Amino acid sequence: MLEIRLNKSVGAVCRIGRVFVKKGDTVHNNDALFTVESRKIQTVVHANFEGEITGVNLVGGGAVKPETVVMTVDGQTVKESKVLIANSK
């Protein structure tokens, strides 16, 4: 099980735009997960892992702090990311 968090590099508090995944979805490396706005720049966040989404803690229009668990995944990390941190639970 992986806990997916936003890296500190995205800023202090980010606003979530659109969420593209939901619990039960299978995600592959580089799939779009959600959009985030930080420092007035909107960015699409892509997966750096593969597996099944087991929980999503994001709501469109909501705010999230870096290093908060934004989703959980039954899968494995594929590559390093500057935006996401994927740690084994």
Side-chain angles (χ1 to χ4, degrees):
M1 184 76 61
L2 296 174
E3 291 183 334
I4 310 301
R5 305 169 191 271
L6 286 177
N7 196 333
K8 286 190 249 185
S9 66
V10 297
V13 175
C14 303
R15 181 154 312 279
I16 301 301
R18 198 164 155 211
V19 181
F20 303 114
V21 297
K22 63 186 179 308
K23 184 177 178 178
D25 286 353
T26 298
V27 176
H28 300 282
N29 187 38
N30 288 327
D31 283 356
L33 301 173
F34 55 93
T35 60
V36 63
E37 183 178 316
S38 179
R39 301 179 191 133
K40 298 184 181 183
I41 298 172
Q42 191 170 40
T43 305
V44 177
V45 178
H46 294 88
N48 67 329
F49 55 84
E50 294 187 342
E52 182 179 337
I53 304 291
T54 56
V56 177
N57 304 323
L58 298 171
V59 177
V64 65
K65 294 179 183 178
E67 297 191 1
T68 300
V69 176
V70 295
M71 60 183 60
T72 54
V73 178
D74 185 12
Q76 62 186 14
T77 304
V78 174
K79 63 179 182 177
E80 292 295 318
S81 170
K82 292 180 182 177
V83 178
L84 293 178
I85 301 169
N87 292 324
S88 295
K89 185 175 177 182

